[in-house]
Amino acid sequence: MPAEMTGFWAPVALSGDLPPATVIPARTTAGSIALWRSQSGRVAASADRCPHRGMRLSHGFVRGEALSCIYHGWSYSQAGNCLRIPAHPGLSPPETIRVATQKVEEADGLLWVAVGDPAHQPPALAGLVPLRSLTVEADIGAIERAAGATLDARGVLETVENSQAVRLLLVELQPHRTLVHVLVDDGATPAERIMASRAAESLRRRAESLQGGIA
Ligand code: FES
């Protein structure tokens, strides 16, 4: 298998969407994730299913360096092993009780989750910063057709919408659903940020129309 086929990095959220001691749901083509940041600021990606009775861990809570399930309070480390079972406070949980984890990298204001085993680090977005994210009910092909442009090797689509240059970082969530991060130049003015955001919305509506989804 060629190295580039062993895996890739999915930019699942903006750094600013995940303050310390919080957990949010995220998704890649590999499935649902509980994306969480510990009190000290370290980020982890755990499978969004508690090994006990299947509750979504993204509904849970973060205390210190652990993620706890909202249902019966089992808590997990960033490596995935169970740390504590409140109903059995004297028990050291066996190593076999684990939640699957995926690698995470934080760079350029984005949180990248490894799908498979990527051969390289996430792509650099030198000079660009994320402004906001939106979900488009269309696949990447429909967005490319709406933009009249194709993704570059980083997954960035560069186009002009309503006379406004737009840079979008795209990642497939599931069939006909794409997560889009709007990128702007580092140091963009408030007016430029507003125009970029509006241009992205305009492109979203056209792509969804092309896809036959909700405009
Ligand atoms: S389902 Fe998570 S602790 Fe019971």
Side-chain angles (χ1 to χ4, degrees):
M1 183 182 291
E4 63 271 22
M5 296 300 289
T6 59
F8 61 94
W9 291 97
V12 297
L14 309 191
S15 295
D17 292 337
L18 193 68
T22 57
V23 56
I24 59 173
R27 185 173 184 83
T28 71
T29 50
S32 298
I33 299 166
L35 187 68
W36 57 287
R37 192 189 295 275
S38 73
Q39 187 71 52
S40 70
R42 294 170 56 229
V43 183
S46 307
D48 200 3
R49 188 174 192 286
C50 180
H52 183 213
R53 295 203 183 156
M55 174 59 76
R56 294 186 67 173
L57 287 172
S58 59
H59 292 169
F61 54 94
V62 178
R63 290 284 183 276
E65 303 303 297
L67 172 65
S68 295
C69 178
I70 194 73
Y71 200 176
H72 307 98
W74 291 23
S75 58
Y76 302 92
S77 75
Q78 296 208 315
N81 58 298
C82 184
L83 296 170
R84 183 169 175 268
I85 298 176
H88 302 281
L91 177 77
S92 292
E95 268 295 316
T96 49
I97 303 178
R98 308 186 62 83
V99 61
T101 61
Q102 291 168 253
K103 286 187 206 164
V104 188
E105 291 284 341
E106 186 164 23
D108 297 320
L110 286 155
L111 296 164
W112 302 78
V113 170
V115 179
D117 188 16
H120 307 288
Q121 289 297 101
L125 302 174
L128 296 174
V129 293
L131 173 66
R132 55 171 292 212
S133 306
L134 59 157
T135 301
V136 179
E137 302 296 336
D139 58 35
I140 288 176
I143 298 172
E144 288 180 322
R145 290 198 300 282
T150 54
L151 299 190
D152 65 18
R154 303 169 299 175
V156 175
L157 185 78
E158 297 200 35
T159 187
V160 175
E161 182 77 13
N162 301 335
S163 305
Q164 169 69 36
V166 187
R167 277 75 53 94
L168 306 172
L169 178 63
L170 273 54
V171 57
E172 180 184 358
L173 294 176
Q174 56 195 74
H176 300 176
R177 179 170 291 180
T178 304
L179 179 61
V180 173
H181 305 294
V182 182
L183 306 175
V184 293
D185 290 322
D186 197 3
T189 65
E192 288 168 336
R193 289 166 178 258
I194 291 168
M195 284 193 294
S197 182
R198 287 180 179 162
E201 290 288 355
S202 172
L203 185 60
R204 176 185 66 80
R205 286 193 291 274
R206 223 174 40 260
E208 290 179 343
S209 179
L210 271 176
Q211 186 74 63
I214 304 163

PDB file of all heavy atoms in Angstrom, residues 36 42 44-46 65-68 75-84 95 97-101:
ATOM      1  N   TRP A  36     -11.844  15.934  23.197  1.00  0.00           N
ATOM      2  CA  TRP A  36     -11.820  16.613  24.494  1.00  0.00           C
ATOM      3  C   TRP A  36     -10.451  17.174  24.816  1.00  0.00           C
ATOM      4  O   TRP A  36      -9.432  16.712  24.315  1.00  0.00           O
ATOM      5  CB  TRP A  36     -12.331  15.694  25.599  1.00  0.00           C
ATOM      6  CG  TRP A  36     -11.631  14.381  25.802  1.00  0.00           C
ATOM      7  CD1 TRP A  36     -11.698  13.283  24.993  1.00  0.00           C
ATOM      8  CD2 TRP A  36     -10.801  14.007  26.903  1.00  0.00           C
ATOM      9  NE1 TRP A  36     -10.964  12.250  25.517  1.00  0.00           N
ATOM     10  CE2 TRP A  36     -10.405  12.662  26.694  1.00  0.00           C
ATOM     11  CE3 TRP A  36     -10.367  14.664  28.046  1.00  0.00           C
ATOM     12  CZ2 TRP A  36      -9.586  11.969  27.584  1.00  0.00           C
ATOM     13  CZ3 TRP A  36      -9.550  13.980  28.943  1.00  0.00           C
ATOM     14  CH2 TRP A  36      -9.175  12.654  28.708  1.00  0.00           C
ATOM     15  N   ARG A  42      -4.279  19.471  27.156  1.00  0.00           N
ATOM     16  CA  ARG A  42      -3.947  18.408  26.202  1.00  0.00           C
ATOM     17  C   ARG A  42      -5.228  17.901  25.531  1.00  0.00           C
ATOM     18  O   ARG A  42      -6.250  17.678  26.187  1.00  0.00           O
ATOM     19  CB  ARG A  42      -3.219  17.262  26.904  1.00  0.00           C
ATOM     20  CG  ARG A  42      -1.846  17.684  27.439  1.00  0.00           C
ATOM     21  CD  ARG A  42      -1.237  16.613  28.331  1.00  0.00           C
ATOM     22  NE  ARG A  42      -1.131  15.345  27.672  1.00  0.00           N
ATOM     23  CZ  ARG A  42      -1.532  14.192  28.193  1.00  0.00           C
ATOM     24  NH1 ARG A  42      -2.092  14.171  29.398  1.00  0.00           N
ATOM     25  NH2 ARG A  42      -1.394  13.070  27.543  1.00  0.00           N
ATOM     26  N   ALA A  44      -7.433  15.116  23.196  1.00  0.00           N
ATOM     27  CA  ALA A  44      -7.529  13.687  22.892  1.00  0.00           C
ATOM     28  C   ALA A  44      -8.782  13.433  22.070  1.00  0.00           C
ATOM     29  O   ALA A  44      -9.747  14.205  22.126  1.00  0.00           O
ATOM     30  CB  ALA A  44      -7.576  12.870  24.186  1.00  0.00           C
ATOM     31  N   ALA A  45      -8.742  12.346  21.299  1.00  0.00           N
ATOM     32  CA  ALA A  45      -9.896  11.911  20.508  1.00  0.00           C
ATOM     33  C   ALA A  45     -10.221  10.480  20.913  1.00  0.00           C
ATOM     34  O   ALA A  45      -9.437   9.563  20.666  1.00  0.00           O
ATOM     35  CB  ALA A  45      -9.585  11.990  19.022  1.00  0.00           C
ATOM     36  N   SER A  46     -11.381  10.296  21.562  1.00  0.00           N
ATOM     37  CA  SER A  46     -11.808   8.968  22.004  1.00  0.00           C
ATOM     38  C   SER A  46     -13.009   8.551  21.177  1.00  0.00           C
ATOM     39  O   SER A  46     -13.815   9.396  20.759  1.00  0.00           O
ATOM     40  CB  SER A  46     -12.214   9.006  23.482  1.00  0.00           C
ATOM     41  OG  SER A  46     -11.179   9.561  24.280  1.00  0.00           O
ATOM     42  N   GLU A  65      -7.489  15.509  34.124  1.00  0.00           N
ATOM     43  CA  GLU A  65      -6.928  14.916  32.899  1.00  0.00           C
ATOM     44  C   GLU A  65      -7.745  13.714  32.443  1.00  0.00           C
ATOM     45  O   GLU A  65      -7.237  12.871  31.690  1.00  0.00           O
ATOM     46  CB  GLU A  65      -5.478  14.500  33.151  1.00  0.00           C
ATOM     47  CG  GLU A  65      -4.584  15.631  33.623  1.00  0.00           C
ATOM     48  CD  GLU A  65      -4.572  16.815  32.647  1.00  0.00           C
ATOM     49  OE1 GLU A  65      -4.136  16.627  31.505  1.00  0.00           O
ATOM     50  OE2 GLU A  65      -5.017  17.912  33.045  1.00  0.00           O
ATOM     51  N   ALA A  66      -8.993  13.599  32.889  1.00  0.00           N
ATOM     52  CA  ALA A  66      -9.813  12.432  32.551  1.00  0.00           C
ATOM     53  C   ALA A  66     -11.156  12.846  31.966  1.00  0.00           C
ATOM     54  O   ALA A  66     -11.692  13.917  32.271  1.00  0.00           O
ATOM     55  CB  ALA A  66     -10.038  11.576  33.799  1.00  0.00           C
ATOM     56  N   LEU A  67     -11.690  11.964  31.124  1.00  0.00           N
ATOM     57  CA  LEU A  67     -13.029  12.130  30.556  1.00  0.00           C
ATOM     58  C   LEU A  67     -13.954  11.138  31.253  1.00  0.00           C
ATOM     59  O   LEU A  67     -13.653   9.938  31.304  1.00  0.00           O
ATOM     60  CB  LEU A  67     -12.996  11.837  29.047  1.00  0.00           C
ATOM     61  CG  LEU A  67     -14.352  11.792  28.327  1.00  0.00           C
ATOM     62  CD1 LEU A  67     -15.041  13.163  28.351  1.00  0.00           C
ATOM     63  CD2 LEU A  67     -14.160  11.327  26.878  1.00  0.00           C
ATOM     64  N   SER A  68     -15.074  11.634  31.784  1.00  0.00           N
ATOM     65  CA  SER A  68     -15.999  10.762  32.502  1.00  0.00           C
ATOM     66  C   SER A  68     -17.305  10.622  31.748  1.00  0.00           C
ATOM     67  O   SER A  68     -17.807  11.583  31.156  1.00  0.00           O
ATOM     68  CB  SER A  68     -16.276  11.314  33.904  1.00  0.00           C
ATOM     69  OG  SER A  68     -15.095  11.300  34.674  1.00  0.00           O
ATOM     70  N   SER A  75     -14.477   6.719  34.251  1.00  0.00           N
ATOM     71  CA  SER A  75     -13.628   7.758  33.670  1.00  0.00           C
ATOM     72  C   SER A  75     -12.446   7.127  32.942  1.00  0.00           C
ATOM     73  O   SER A  75     -11.969   6.037  33.300  1.00  0.00           O
ATOM     74  CB  SER A  75     -13.169   8.753  34.734  1.00  0.00           C
ATOM     75  OG  SER A  75     -12.466   8.100  35.753  1.00  0.00           O
ATOM     76  N   TYR A  76     -11.969   7.844  31.929  1.00  0.00           N
ATOM     77  CA  TYR A  76     -10.960   7.320  31.005  1.00  0.00           C
ATOM     78  C   TYR A  76      -9.819   8.321  30.852  1.00  0.00           C
ATOM     79  O   TYR A  76     -10.043   9.544  30.846  1.00  0.00           O
ATOM     80  CB  TYR A  76     -11.588   7.049  29.636  1.00  0.00           C
ATOM     81  CG  TYR A  76     -12.734   6.068  29.723  1.00  0.00           C
ATOM     82  CD1 TYR A  76     -14.040   6.519  29.894  1.00  0.00           C
ATOM     83  CD2 TYR A  76     -12.502   4.702  29.705  1.00  0.00           C
ATOM     84  CE1 TYR A  76     -15.094   5.615  30.022  1.00  0.00           C
ATOM     85  CE2 TYR A  76     -13.559   3.793  29.832  1.00  0.00           C
ATOM     86  CZ  TYR A  76     -14.836   4.259  29.991  1.00  0.00           C
ATOM     87  OH  TYR A  76     -15.883   3.372  30.130  1.00  0.00           O
ATOM     88  N   SER A  77      -8.610   7.780  30.678  1.00  0.00           N
ATOM     89  CA  SER A  77      -7.446   8.632  30.445  1.00  0.00           C
ATOM     90  C   SER A  77      -7.382   8.997  28.963  1.00  0.00           C
ATOM     91  O   SER A  77      -8.123   8.464  28.136  1.00  0.00           O
ATOM     92  CB  SER A  77      -6.162   7.892  30.827  1.00  0.00           C
ATOM     93  OG  SER A  77      -5.853   6.934  29.824  1.00  0.00           O
ATOM     94  N   GLN A  78      -6.430   9.879  28.629  1.00  0.00           N
ATOM     95  CA  GLN A  78      -6.266  10.245  27.221  1.00  0.00           C
ATOM     96  C   GLN A  78      -5.718   9.075  26.408  1.00  0.00           C
ATOM     97  O   GLN A  78      -5.886   9.045  25.199  1.00  0.00           O
ATOM     98  CB  GLN A  78      -5.372  11.473  27.102  1.00  0.00           C
ATOM     99  CG  GLN A  78      -6.037  12.698  27.762  1.00  0.00           C
ATOM    100  CD  GLN A  78      -5.607  13.999  27.159  1.00  0.00           C
ATOM    101  OE1 GLN A  78      -4.431  14.211  26.915  1.00  0.00           O
ATOM    102  NE2 GLN A  78      -6.566  14.899  26.927  1.00  0.00           N
ATOM    103  N   ALA A  79      -5.096   8.116  27.068  1.00  0.00           N
ATOM    104  CA  ALA A  79      -4.620   6.921  26.357  1.00  0.00           C
ATOM    105  C   ALA A  79      -5.735   5.905  26.163  1.00  0.00           C
ATOM    106  O   ALA A  79      -5.566   4.924  25.443  1.00  0.00           O
ATOM    107  CB  ALA A  79      -3.471   6.280  27.128  1.00  0.00           C
ATOM    108  N   GLY A  80      -6.881   6.103  26.823  1.00  0.00           N
ATOM    109  CA  GLY A  80      -8.040   5.240  26.601  1.00  0.00           C
ATOM    110  C   GLY A  80      -8.339   4.246  27.705  1.00  0.00           C
ATOM    111  O   GLY A  80      -9.418   3.635  27.718  1.00  0.00           O
ATOM    112  N   ASN A  81      -7.419   4.066  28.650  1.00  0.00           N
ATOM    113  CA  ASN A  81      -7.679   3.074  29.707  1.00  0.00           C
ATOM    114  C   ASN A  81      -8.639   3.633  30.757  1.00  0.00           C
ATOM    115  O   ASN A  81      -8.659   4.838  31.026  1.00  0.00           O
ATOM    116  CB  ASN A  81      -6.371   2.606  30.354  1.00  0.00           C
ATOM    117  CG  ASN A  81      -5.582   3.747  30.934  1.00  0.00           C
ATOM    118  OD1 ASN A  81      -5.171   4.638  30.194  1.00  0.00           O
ATOM    119  ND2 ASN A  81      -5.379   3.732  32.243  1.00  0.00           N
ATOM    120  N   CYS A  82      -9.423   2.729  31.347  1.00  0.00           N
ATOM    121  CA  CYS A  82     -10.375   3.133  32.377  1.00  0.00           C
ATOM    122  C   CYS A  82      -9.622   3.418  33.676  1.00  0.00           C
ATOM    123  O   CYS A  82      -8.788   2.613  34.124  1.00  0.00           O
ATOM    124  CB  CYS A  82     -11.415   2.030  32.585  1.00  0.00           C
ATOM    125  SG  CYS A  82     -12.695   2.488  33.763  1.00  0.00           S
ATOM    126  N   LEU A  83      -9.901   4.564  34.274  1.00  0.00           N
ATOM    127  CA  LEU A  83      -9.199   4.978  35.485  1.00  0.00           C
ATOM    128  C   LEU A  83      -9.993   4.704  36.753  1.00  0.00           C
ATOM    129  O   LEU A  83      -9.424   4.453  37.815  1.00  0.00           O
ATOM    130  CB  LEU A  83      -8.903   6.486  35.416  1.00  0.00           C
ATOM    131  CG  LEU A  83      -7.956   6.952  34.309  1.00  0.00           C
ATOM    132  CD1 LEU A  83      -7.972   8.478  34.220  1.00  0.00           C
ATOM    133  CD2 LEU A  83      -6.545   6.444  34.566  1.00  0.00           C
ATOM    134  N   ARG A  84     -11.327   4.774  36.623  1.00  0.00           N
ATOM    135  CA  ARG A  84     -12.135   4.734  37.837  1.00  0.00           C
ATOM    136  C   ARG A  84     -13.548   4.269  37.529  1.00  0.00           C
ATOM    137  O   ARG A  84     -14.137   4.681  36.527  1.00  0.00           O
ATOM    138  CB  ARG A  84     -12.162   6.133  38.460  1.00  0.00           C
ATOM    139  CG  ARG A  84     -12.899   6.245  39.766  1.00  0.00           C
ATOM    140  CD  ARG A  84     -12.641   7.585  40.416  1.00  0.00           C
ATOM    141  NE  ARG A  84     -13.454   7.713  41.618  1.00  0.00           N
ATOM    142  CZ  ARG A  84     -14.665   8.256  41.639  1.00  0.00           C
ATOM    143  NH1 ARG A  84     -15.191   8.747  40.541  1.00  0.00           N
ATOM    144  NH2 ARG A  84     -15.352   8.307  42.768  1.00  0.00           N
ATOM    145  N   GLU A  95      -6.913  -3.504  32.598  1.00  0.00           N
ATOM    146  CA  GLU A  95      -6.426  -2.883  31.362  1.00  0.00           C
ATOM    147  C   GLU A  95      -7.334  -3.178  30.173  1.00  0.00           C
ATOM    148  O   GLU A  95      -7.327  -2.468  29.175  1.00  0.00           O
ATOM    149  CB  GLU A  95      -5.006  -3.383  31.049  1.00  0.00           C
ATOM    150  CG  GLU A  95      -3.909  -2.526  31.595  1.00  0.00           C
ATOM    151  CD  GLU A  95      -3.871  -1.132  30.965  1.00  0.00           C
ATOM    152  OE1 GLU A  95      -4.003  -1.028  29.738  1.00  0.00           O
ATOM    153  OE2 GLU A  95      -3.731  -0.164  31.725  1.00  0.00           O
ATOM    154  N   ILE A  97     -10.424  -2.870  29.996  1.00  0.00           N
ATOM    155  CA  ILE A  97     -11.501  -1.881  29.829  1.00  0.00           C
ATOM    156  C   ILE A  97     -10.882  -0.630  29.229  1.00  0.00           C
ATOM    157  O   ILE A  97     -10.186   0.129  29.915  1.00  0.00           O
ATOM    158  CB  ILE A  97     -12.194  -1.555  31.162  1.00  0.00           C
ATOM    159  CG1 ILE A  97     -12.752  -2.821  31.802  1.00  0.00           C
ATOM    160  CG2 ILE A  97     -13.301  -0.542  30.943  1.00  0.00           C
ATOM    161  CD1 ILE A  97     -13.411  -2.576  33.156  1.00  0.00           C
ATOM    162  N   ARG A  98     -11.120  -0.423  27.950  1.00  0.00           N
ATOM    163  CA  ARG A  98     -10.488   0.690  27.231  1.00  0.00           C
ATOM    164  C   ARG A  98     -11.460   1.267  26.226  1.00  0.00           C
ATOM    165  O   ARG A  98     -12.336   0.577  25.709  1.00  0.00           O
ATOM    166  CB  ARG A  98      -9.253   0.225  26.432  1.00  0.00           C
ATOM    167  CG  ARG A  98      -8.221  -0.557  27.164  1.00  0.00           C
ATOM    168  CD  ARG A  98      -7.020  -0.807  26.271  1.00  0.00           C
ATOM    169  NE  ARG A  98      -6.377   0.422  25.864  1.00  0.00           N
ATOM    170  CZ  ARG A  98      -5.497   1.079  26.615  1.00  0.00           C
ATOM    171  NH1 ARG A  98      -5.137   0.614  27.796  1.00  0.00           N
ATOM    172  NH2 ARG A  98      -4.968   2.196  26.180  1.00  0.00           N
ATOM    173  N   VAL A  99     -11.273   2.526  25.924  1.00  0.00           N
ATOM    174  CA  VAL A  99     -11.966   3.155  24.808  1.00  0.00           C
ATOM    175  C   VAL A  99     -10.917   3.401  23.726  1.00  0.00           C
ATOM    176  O   VAL A  99      -9.778   3.770  24.024  1.00  0.00           O
ATOM    177  CB  VAL A  99     -12.670   4.462  25.268  1.00  0.00           C
ATOM    178  CG1 VAL A  99     -11.694   5.484  25.798  1.00  0.00           C
ATOM    179  CG2 VAL A  99     -13.494   5.049  24.143  1.00  0.00           C
ATOM    180  N   ALA A 100     -11.297   3.149  22.466  1.00  0.00           N
ATOM    181  CA  ALA A 100     -10.364   3.352  21.361  1.00  0.00           C
ATOM    182  C   ALA A 100     -10.040   4.838  21.227  1.00  0.00           C
ATOM    183  O   ALA A 100     -10.894   5.703  21.490  1.00  0.00           O
ATOM    184  CB  ALA A 100     -10.962   2.827  20.066  1.00  0.00           C
ATOM    185  N   THR A 101      -8.819   5.138  20.846  1.00  0.00           N
ATOM    186  CA  THR A 101      -8.400   6.532  20.669  1.00  0.00           C
ATOM    187  C   THR A 101      -7.768   6.720  19.292  1.00  0.00           C
ATOM    188  O   THR A 101      -7.335   5.753  18.653  1.00  0.00           O
ATOM    189  CB  THR A 101      -7.373   6.954  21.740  1.00  0.00           C
ATOM    190  OG1 THR A 101      -6.217   6.119  21.621  1.00  0.00           O
ATOM    191  CG2 THR A 101      -7.944   6.820  23.143  1.00  0.00           C
TER     192      THR A 101
END
